[in-house]
Amino acid sequence: MGERKGVNKYYPPDFDPAKHVSLNKYRNSHPLRERARKLSQGILIIRFEMPYNIWCDGCKNHIGMGVRYNAEKKKVGNYYTTPIYRFRMKCHLCVNYIEMQTDPANCDYVIVSGAQRKEERWDMQDNEQILTTEHEEKKQLETDAMYRLEHGAMDQSKLQRAIPTLSNIQEAQSAWKDDFAINSMLRRKFREEKKILQEEEEKDLALQTKANLSIPLVQETEEDRRLAALLKYHSLDSYEDKQKLKRTEISGRSWFPPAQAAGGKATDTLKKLGLAGKVMSPKALAGGSHITISHLGIVRRKSREGPESLCSPGESTEHGARTGGQSRHSAAHGTPQQSSPVASGDVLPAAGTSSTSCSTRLSSSLVADYSNSSSDSEVD
């Protein structure tokens, strides 16, 4: 296997295989190079790993288990036929040297000098671990028959005490005897659960997209299903019922437009005159004699023939008497009398009086006042 490495071996011209045998002998060097510099003293440089936690006596620092050092290895004795080796190494934190050696009797390492062991040991018998047979006990078992018999009886009693525990352990392990079948069943169960979870996730994602929700949805429960079954959401009228009602209303409607009210034209005229919004007092509406021309917004135009020619002699006399009476009434109250004939005839005669014919003839000289002014004015 060493020849497979990319090691370049140069053989000089004076190299003689019969004389030198190898390049190491030709160069007078050891195959281990610097590691064998003290080999004449029986010391070999090796890579030593700390077997447990220790405290250095030089710097008082902790050195953990597994820290590696370049240690000098040498043989210091034998335990029966097993050699005892001692290791000397320098602390990597100070100039102190630590010496340790093997303990084949206890299968352990012992600190000779330079450090103290961190006690983390326990009694194997207290922990119910398998104990190693001591050399003296082993020798006595081989030579003493009575001791061997007693030792066998003790082992049998120990076995009887341990049988229930061993049977329980075997029963528990028998359930996992067929590893392949159990593993297949477990993987099948995992696949089914993963498929169900994936389907539920797709349904939740579709519902969130449809309802434009960004909150996580919880799993359904039996109580939720029961409450949802008790609730029924429906509109009062369906689409078909609304359409049927609309068709019935259209079919029952008249083909002709509704007839206009009797007072429609009069209302339009009042709107044009600007009197639709004016409210008349009930007293003025009850008695026709109190309705004046100013209320209707009408003024009288001067006629070319004069006021006497519009009425008959009898009517003019009656009209003059009313005018004279009004003048006297105004004089009695100190009101200045107007000489204009328009002011004296502002009050219209009541319905059913003798002046009906006169007012009929006067209507030809009346014109409507479309202005917003409420005062009487003469039109020349």
Side-chain angles (χ1 to χ4, degrees), residues 44-338:
L44 179 65
I45 308 299
I46 65 167
R47 193 70 173 166
F48 180 79
E49 183 174 341
M50 194 64 64
Y52 41 75
N53 298 323
I54 64 172
W55 300 95
C56 179
D57 289 342
C59 58
K60 306 300 181 181
N61 288 321
H62 177 267
I63 300 175
M65 181 176 58
V67 180
R68 295 180 180 180
Y69 295 94
N70 293 328
E72 298 178 357
K73 174 185 175 183
K74 66 178 180 179
K75 183 179 178 181
V76 294
N78 290 323
Y79 176 75
Y80 297 101
T81 59
T82 304
I84 298 175
Y85 294 102
R86 181 173 293 182
F87 307 94
R88 186 173 184 269
M89 65 207 81
K90 181 178 176 297
C91 178
H92 66 286
L93 300 174
C94 62
V95 296
N96 182 44
Y97 280 88
I98 302 171
E99 292 187 4
M100 302 179 69
Q101 71 180 20
T102 60
D103 185 9
N106 298 318
C107 300
D108 200 358
Y109 288 88
V110 179
I111 298 176
V112 178
S113 63
Q116 295 179 1
R117 180 172 182 173
K118 184 179 180 181
E119 287 296 337
E120 296 176 340
R121 290 174 288 187
W122 60 88
D123 191 357
M124 298 177 64
Q125 187 175 0
D126 294 341
N127 293 335
E128 298 183 357
Q129 295 180 347
I130 299 175
L131 300 176
T132 58
T133 305
E134 296 292 337
H135 181 70
E136 291 79 6
E137 185 179 358
K138 186 183 296 184
K139 184 177 181 180
Q140 189 175 4
L141 286 172
E142 293 176 355
T143 58
D144 193 349
M146 292 301 294
Y147 182 79
R148 185 168 60 249
L149 182 60
E150 293 175 359
H151 194 274
M154 293 173 58
D155 292 342
Q156 288 294 331
S157 62
K158 189 183 296 184
L159 176 62
Q160 293 298 327
R161 291 194 303 267
I163 281 177
T165 305
L166 295 176
S167 61
N168 293 335
I169 295 174
Q170 291 177 356
E171 185 179 356
Q173 290 179 349
S174 63
W176 302 91
K177 188 175 182 180
D178 192 356
D179 299 337
F180 178 77
I182 294 173
N183 190 16
S184 300
M185 182 177 63
L186 186 62
R187 291 173 64 85
R188 189 184 308 109
K189 183 179 179 181
F190 286 162
R191 284 195 297 268
E192 293 176 357
E193 292 179 356
K194 184 178 180 180
K195 186 176 180 181
I196 294 173
L197 292 176
Q198 188 175 2
E199 291 177 357
E200 292 179 355
E201 185 178 356
E202 291 178 356
K203 289 181 181 179
D204 293 346
L205 183 60
L207 182 58
Q208 288 177 345
T209 305
K210 182 178 180 180
N212 194 15
L213 297 175
S214 60
I215 57 176
L217 303 179
V218 298
Q219 296 294 332
E220 294 182 0
T221 60
E222 189 63 29
E223 185 68 17
D224 297 338
R225 296 188 185 94
R226 189 179 65 82
L227 291 177
L230 296 176
L231 300 177
K232 292 183 179 179
Y233 299 97
H234 60 85
S235 60
L236 298 178
D237 295 329
S238 62
Y239 177 76
E240 291 77 8
D241 295 341
K242 292 181 181 179
Q243 292 295 327
K244 186 176 181 180
L245 181 62
K246 187 179 294 185
R247 292 192 187 96
T248 304
E249 183 182 354
I250 293 174
S251 61
R253 190 185 303 169
S254 176
W255 289 7
F256 302 100
Q260 192 173 3
K265 292 184 179 180
T267 305
D268 295 341
T269 304
L270 290 176
K271 288 181 179 180
K272 290 180 181 180
L273 293 175
L275 299 175
K278 295 181 181 181
V279 181
M280 303 291 291
S281 63
K283 187 175 181 181
L285 294 174
S289 60
H290 297 81
I291 301 176
T292 61
I293 297 175
S294 61
H295 288 137
L296 299 177
I298 301 174
V299 297
R300 182 177 297 166
R301 179 182 294 175
K302 287 183 179 182
S303 177
R304 296 178 182 178
E305 299 178 358
E308 292 81 3
S309 62
L310 297 175
C311 300
S312 62
E315 296 174 3
S316 61
T317 304
E318 184 181 359
H319 180 69
R322 289 197 305 272
T323 308
Q326 184 180 3
S327 301
R328 288 192 300 272
H329 178 71
S330 61
H333 290 280
T335 305
Q337 185 178 358
Q338 296 180 359

